[in-house]
Each structure stands twice: as C-alpha cells, then as structure tokens.
Amino acid sequence: MERGRRAALGLALAALLAGPWPGARAVEPVTVGLALAGAAASALTGLVSYSRLYCYFAPCCLQGPGARRGAALEEDLDRKLFGQHLVKKVVIKAVAGFLNNPNPKKPLTLSLHGWTGTGKNLVSKIIAENVYEGGLNSKFVHQFVSTLHFPHLQNVTQYKDQLQSWIRGNVSACARSVFIFDEMDKMHAGLIDSIKPFLDYYEELDGVSYRKAIFIFLSNAGAEKITEVALDFWRRGKSREELGLRDLEASVSVSVFNNKNSGFWHSSLIDRNLIDYFVPFLPLEYKHVKMCIRVELESRGYMADEDIVDRVASEMTYFPKEERIYSDKGCKTVYTKLDFYYDL
C-alpha cells in the first residue's frame, strides 16, 4: 500500500516536472522545485500534505514529535550497547523527552565520558540514526573531530568564528540540527566556549532559535574518576548495576572542569550549568567484551563460535594488573582481532 502511494506520487511529480513551465528558466532552480512540489501537493489533495510529500523524495529536517524514535532508540541501545546501564537510562529519557517537547527551553546537551572502546562513538551514531535516516551522513548531522578540524593553537580565534558561523547557518536551515564534537579532551581550552550563547536559555539570537538543536560532546576526560568509583563498588562487593548517576555525574563534571588537558577546562559551559547530562561510560568487563565479539560475528554473517569468542576475549588485556577486571581497550580492537580467525 505504502509503496503504491509512493509510486503514484512519483508519477504525479514526474508529470508535473515534465512541463511545460513558461518562464521557468528565469526562476532560481530551488524555487521552481518548491513550486512544482507545491503544485503536486495540490494535485494530490487528500493524499498527503506538501511537507510530507516533499519528505517522500528528499531528506527533511525533523519537525514532528519523536515518540517512535524513542522506542527505536531504546531497541538499538539494547541490541548494540553492553555494560552501560546508566548510559541507556539517561540517553533514552533525555533524547526521547527532548524530541517530544515542542517547545524546549534550551538545546539538549549531552557530554559522554569514558575510556576508548566503551561505546561513546557508538551511542552518538545510534542517536544520529534515530533522529535522521542518514545518521552521521545526514546533512542535518554535523560532526567535528578536534584533531582534524581544530588542530592549531595559533588559529583558535579563527576557529571560534568559523564554528559560530557554521552552527548559526545550519540551525537557520534546520532547527533540529545535531552537532557532535569528538575528542573534546584534545580540544584547545577556551574554543568550545565560543558556542556558549547557542546553548543558553535564549528565545532567539539575531532572529535564530537554537532551542531545538542537539549538541553531543565525546571525551576520554573523566575516565579515571569513573574507573575509580566503579572499582570501589566492585571491591566493596556491590553490583555494577547498583551504580547510579548520582554516584558519578558530579565528580565527573568537576574532574573535567579542572583538567587542564581537556577542552572543558574552566569552561563556561560547565560553570553556567549548560550541559544537561554528564553521561559516564563504565569500563567494560570480560563478559561485555564477549558480547561485543558475538555481535561483530553476527554482523559478518557468522554463527557465534563460543570457542573463538572465548579465545578473542582472553587475548584482550585487562586492568588493574592484579584483579584484571576491566578491558583496557574496551571493545575497540575486537574487529581486527577477529580478522585473525576468519579469512575475510
């Protein structure tokens, strides 16, 4: 049924686009396209509105509520993310709640912290995919990597201007834009403060509202504090799942704020409480590494061979040296280690 409707709409648009359209050459192509789409929508009255019609054939900025996206987000996190009960709880509530709020007071800002391989990039990818079909490849999702996009200390002033212009331009085009900043622990101190006005509680700035945008920061900073708390729980015989956000969030934010090697060092984003959640990623245990291996095998089309799963997990290195509880690379090297066992 849905496929048939799309085919009908496609034929209608094709007919309209075939012309003739007197004077079309004198009009900007984008304007013509919008006019034709509007004409198609009128011709198909009762089937679909203009905005919905347009979104059948081109990527659209998210405008409606995200209830279904919240359910899909939860499902994706359950299937792909392991050992991170705090992350799942915070991300699902924060993102779904924000997308379903037609009039948020400020942009959603999430700061993800933890060791390499614990799932920070995976979670940002899953969020992007659940907001926009193209995920990280969507024109409404923008990713910055500190060492790639902001490498030189002497250019920080220039980077600040460029960053402000980039965010202003993209939010003007799509209020629900998503911005991801990776390697915040390698960003030059003070640079991220240039976007502080966009994260604050302003109705508008120069005619642009930033309240519906999403900002996600990824950082290894704070990982030591997270491990310290998690290890203390383990040594006291407490379950990993007993750890609550209250046990970690405040200490992580303080640790990051006072870390001179972090892009958040003495940042006004933290000082002014503009980051909604500091999301702690716990170090992964042996059992979690095995889960990652099984998922990777299945993604390659293999049945999970438990002998290989055990062998690959055992080859990973773990810390502390005596207890060997946590994987020091998380699941990051699982992919390459499996290449040794399969002729791919």
Side-chain angles (χ1 to χ4, degrees):
M1 179 71 175
E2 183 68 17
R3 185 179 298 175
R5 289 178 63 187
R6 289 199 181 203
L9 292 170
L11 290 172
L13 270 181
L16 286 166
L17 289 170
W21 290 94
R25 291 183 181 179
V27 185
E28 185 182 2
V30 172
T31 307
V32 174
L34 292 175
L36 296 183
S42 298
L44 296 165
T45 301
L47 282 177
V48 67
S49 67
Y50 160 73
S51 60
R52 288 183 59 200
L53 172 64
Y54 178 81
C55 294
Y56 268 90
F57 300 97
C60 274
C61 173
L62 176 64
Q63 299 294 345
R68 287 180 297 176
R69 289 177 176 83
L73 175 62
E74 183 173 5
E75 181 181 341
D76 277 353
L77 290 173
D78 284 340
R79 286 191 301 108
K80 301 174 183 178
L81 184 69
F82 308 114
Q84 304 295 357
H85 67 286
L86 290 175
V87 176
K88 290 180 182 179
K89 182 177 180 180
V90 173
V91 168
I92 291 168
K93 287 188 175 182
V95 175
F98 183 75
L99 293 178
N100 280 302
N101 185 351
N103 187 30
K105 299 299 182 186
K106 66 178 292 297
L108 176 64
T109 55
L110 304 174
S111 193
L112 316 184
H113 296 268
W115 293 118
T116 297
T118 53
K120 300 186 301 297
N121 286 100
L122 174 62
V123 168
S124 63
K125 179 175 180 287
I126 289 173
I127 292 173
E129 290 171 347
N130 279 273
V131 178
Y132 291 110
E133 186 175 345
L136 296 177
N137 293 321
S138 169
K139 66 179 182 180
F140 307 116
V141 177
H142 315 281
Q143 189 171 30
F144 302 93
V145 179
S146 294
T147 52
L148 174 64
H149 296 103
F150 316 113
H152 305 298
L153 178 60
Q154 65 269 28
N155 294 336
V156 166
T157 300
Q158 178 184 345
Y159 295 150
K160 288 181 178 181
D161 293 338
Q162 291 174 340
L163 191 52
Q164 287 185 341
S165 296
W166 183 255
I167 292 175
R168 185 182 301 110
N170 282 287
V171 174
S172 297
C174 176
R176 288 286 192 189
S177 291
V178 179
F179 300 94
I180 301 171
F181 294 83
D182 198 1
E183 298 185 347
M184 281 298 302
D185 49 303
K186 298 179 178 65
M187 181 177 282
H188 302 298
L191 173 55
I192 201 62
D193 282 1
S194 65
I195 71 169
K196 182 261 178 190
F198 306 137
L199 305 187
D200 218 325
Y201 293 81
Y202 294 114
E203 289 273 356
E204 289 184 351
L205 290 172
D206 295 330
V208 180
S209 173
Y210 298 87
R211 292 182 166 199
K212 292 184 178 181
I214 298 176
F215 293 81
I216 304 173
F217 306 103
L218 283 61
S219 178
N220 290 349
E224 296 90 348
K225 177 57 67 175
I226 295 169
T227 299
E228 179 186 319
V229 174
L231 191 57
D232 179 62
F233 259 60
W234 183 85
R235 285 172 174 163
R236 286 192 284 146
K238 291 190 174 186
S239 165
R240 179 189 188 92
E241 285 68 31
E242 291 182 68
L243 268 168
L245 191 62
R246 65 184 179 278
D247 297 309
L248 284 163
E249 190 173 33
S251 57
V252 169
S253 65
V254 171
S255 173
V256 172
F257 184 77
N258 291 319
N259 186 342
K260 289 186 177 181
N261 296 317
S262 166
F264 282 127
W265 183 63
H266 287 188
S267 171
S268 62
L269 273 59
I270 298 177
D271 191 39
R272 300 295 180 88
N273 299 309
L274 296 179
I275 295 179
D276 299 305
Y277 296 97
F278 287 88
V279 188
F281 283 68
L282 301 174
L284 299 183
E285 300 174 9
Y286 182 84
K287 62 183 179 183
H288 304 127
V289 174
K290 290 177 67 174
M291 292 176 183
C292 293
I293 297 169
R294 292 190 191 102
V295 167
E296 179 60 31
L297 283 172
E298 291 170 3
S299 73
R300 298 184 184 200
Y302 293 100
M303 294 290 290
D305 184 324
E306 288 304 312
D307 179 57
I308 291 180
V309 170
D310 286 331
R311 288 164 67 183
V312 172
S314 298
E315 289 175 5
M316 308 287 277
T317 52
Y318 298 85
F319 71 97
K321 188 175 181 179
E322 298 77 19
E323 294 97 335
R324 298 187 75 248
I325 306 167
Y326 304 123
S327 168
D328 63 357
K329 294 184 180 67
C331 288
K332 196 172 184 69
T333 59
V334 162
Y335 184 92
T336 52
K337 285 190 175 294
L338 279 174
D339 289 345
F340 180 79
Y341 292 95
Y342 291 89
D343 184 16
L344 300 174

